[in-house]
Amino acid sequence: MILGVGTDLANIDRIAGTLERFGDRFRNRVFTPVEQAKSERRADTPGTYAKRWAAKEACSKALGTGLRMGIAWKDMAVSNLQTGQPVMHVTGWAADRLSEMTPPGYEAIIHVTLTDDHPWAQAFVVIEARPAGQAQKI
């Protein structure tokens, strides 16, 4: 069952400008050390940050709150599997909200996809509830 859906579109040039203007203050407020390390290793550093920004916005929407009600930017973090597939992790208030949304006997799975085509970065998040212990069918 689908618990929430969220999407966001971010302007890469706007994120680049914010990075130039605020530097580490912006990076440290919004992105985890893992997200920063990944972004700084990429040739398109602003694009990588913009995709993660969009993912956080999309996740907050899928959680049904937007970026208010106690969710902090770093309560939502994107990492990548070795295959490159992005994965969303939630902690703090975002994890509490996810737990509240999840019916008893179910586990929540957050699906995230990222894309960009300069000057745009986009993320799409779907939160699924699956009966606890049920293996994913491929």
Side-chain angles (χ1 to χ4, degrees):
M1 106 181 46
I2 303 299
L3 297 179
V5 176
T7 189
D8 191 67
L9 187 64
N11 185 289
I12 295 169
D13 294 333
R14 183 175 143 249
I15 296 296
T18 302
L19 287 164
E20 285 179 27
R21 184 169 179 201
F22 297 105
D24 285 342
R25 185 172 147 211
F26 172 65
R27 282 182 198 87
N28 294 331
R29 179 172 168 248
V30 176
F31 302 100
T32 66
V34 169
E35 290 174 309
Q36 290 181 45
K38 172 75 172 186
S39 298
E40 295 297 327
R41 284 193 310 264
R42 300 296 300 256
D44 182 15
T45 299
T48 304
Y49 277 118
K51 285 186 280 190
R52 278 149 178 74
W53 171 280
K56 292 167 185 274
E57 288 273 8
C59 185
S60 71
K61 293 170 185 174
L63 289 168
T65 64
L67 283 162
R68 23 169 237 245
M69 298 175 59
I71 290 182
W73 285 104
K74 291 195 285 188
D75 284 351
M76 301 163 289
V78 177
S79 65
N80 295 83
L81 300 177
Q82 284 192 315
T83 61
Q85 176 183 347
V87 179
M88 177 67 71
H89 306 276
V90 293
T91 58
W93 197 93
D96 293 344
R97 173 68 181 143
L98 182 61
S99 180
E100 288 173 11
M101 294 172 61
T102 307
Y106 284 77
E107 60 185 341
I109 294 97
I110 302 174
H111 304 277
V112 61
T113 187
L114 309 173
T115 191
D116 65 289
D117 187 4
H118 197 87
W120 302 106
Q122 184 177 30
F124 193 76
V125 171
V126 175
I127 302 175
E128 171 191 8
R130 184 179 298 160
Q134 177 181 332
Q136 181 177 358
K137 296 177 184 176
I138 297 179

